[in-house]
Amino acid sequence: MLVALIFAPVTVQAADPRLVPDVSSRAIDIQYSFTGEELLLFGAILYPGQRLPDDRADIVVVLKGPVRPIVLREKRRVAGIWVNASSIRLRTSPGFYAIGSSRPIDKLVDERTAAIFELGLANLSMSPTEFSEASKLERFEAGLTDLYRRLGLFYENPAAVEITEGVLYRARIPVPARVPVGTYRAETFLISRGRVLAVASRDVQIRKAGFERFVALAAERHGFLYGLTAVILSLLLGYAASAIFRRR
């Protein structure tokens, strides 16, 4: 009986299916002509003994990153002028978040599970730096979500994942032109009967390339020289423009 108890968890764990995920591109280069890209997340579900279960399994894919602190400010109209009324600082706000699933999230897991794995825009944990009223926090997060949705930085599609014969899956995630650079994580969740059976991830690098990369590195590594060069170029261009208009 003791031996059975020791090996029981191992047997249950080994019986769970396994995910083999991949992405169409591990690195996305942003150049002057970059207008956005569509990233394909695909893979396979490996079941023990290669026998498909009777219950239907669902897939959720998430592309998220880079996580960074952000300050949100609320504007109010005072005496006909828009001014900053209040603000809140969030520690872990993603610069981009996209989620796709084979069915709506609320049909796959309960609210607690969705919150634990941050499945869905409503379940993102942004960690405010200081205590604030729940209504204020919800208002600011709703405003941020609405803004990022309109910019294409937040994306949610409950029918983005296609599952073929219960084994192969694929989903297309749009990456907008103004996406921030950094390291992204493409996560895949296998869900059945309201339980997350397996999780797998791949990293994706979004980086600047060409002249844009040169300018970004110069600003980061040589800030003083970069600023001085920008001022000098502005003065020269302004002088050249004024000289041309004087001749006319």
Side-chain angles (χ1 to χ4, degrees):
M1 184 180 297
L2 180 60
V3 174
L5 291 175
I6 292 175
F7 286 99
V10 178
T11 304
V12 172
Q13 184 177 3
D16 286 339
R18 188 165 59 91
L19 287 169
V20 183
D22 207 348
V23 293
S24 57
S25 178
R26 298 290 181 91
I28 298 177
D29 293 333
I30 297 179
Q31 299 181 358
Y32 71 93
S33 59
F34 181 75
T35 57
E37 188 169 327
E38 196 172 55
L39 192 66
L40 177 64
L41 281 65
F42 62 96
I45 309 169
L46 301 183
Y47 291 97
Q50 300 180 353
R51 302 177 67 177
L52 298 181
D54 296 332
D55 297 328
R56 173 184 174 182
D58 288 278
I59 290 288
V60 177
V61 296
V62 174
L63 181 64
K64 179 181 177 182
V67 176
R68 58 191 178 181
I70 187 175
V71 177
L72 301 178
R73 292 183 174 88
E74 185 179 44
K75 290 185 177 294
R76 292 182 182 176
R77 194 168 185 177
V78 179
I81 301 175
W82 289 97
V83 297
N84 293 330
S86 59
S87 64
I88 190 171
R89 183 179 178 86
L90 304 175
R91 290 193 187 95
T92 57
S93 174
F96 178 85
Y97 180 91
I99 181 170
S101 53
S102 53
R103 287 193 293 162
I105 298 297
D106 58 357
K107 305 294 183 182
L108 303 181
V109 294
D110 56 23
E111 294 182 0
R112 180 175 177 274
T113 304
I116 291 175
F117 291 97
E118 295 188 69
L119 299 179
L121 295 174
N123 297 304
L124 285 177
S125 177
M126 301 189 188
S127 305
T129 57
E130 58 185 17
F131 176 78
S132 58
E133 297 180 358
S135 58
K136 178 182 177 180
L137 180 60
E138 291 178 0
R139 186 173 71 253
F140 273 81
E141 289 184 347
L144 177 65
T145 300
D146 179 67
L147 174 63
Y148 276 20
R149 272 184 182 273
R150 287 187 277 112
L151 295 176
L153 298 175
F154 279 0
Y155 171 82
E156 196 169 24
N157 186 348
V161 179
E162 300 177 9
I163 303 178
T164 304
E165 298 182 359
V167 176
L168 303 177
Y169 68 89
R170 56 185 293 167
R172 297 184 181 275
I173 300 295
V175 178
R178 59 182 67 191
V179 64
V181 298
T183 301
Y184 289 67
R185 173 157 291 187
E187 295 180 304
T188 304
F189 300 84
L190 177 64
I191 300 175
S192 179
R193 293 186 177 184
R195 189 168 67 94
V196 177
L197 301 181
V199 182
S201 64
R202 290 289 183 270
D203 288 339
V204 177
Q205 295 291 333
I206 297 182
R207 61 200 179 191
K208 292 185 177 181
F211 182 72
E212 288 78 6
R213 178 176 175 81
F214 169 77
V215 173
L217 290 177
E220 180 180 350
R221 299 176 180 177
H222 310 286
F224 176 76
L225 293 177
Y226 173 82
L228 182 62
T229 302
V231 172
I232 293 175
L233 286 176
S234 299
L235 292 175
L236 291 176
L237 291 174
Y239 176 78
S242 63
I244 292 174
F245 282 108
R246 279 200 305 267
R247 291 179 181 178
R248 294 182 178 181

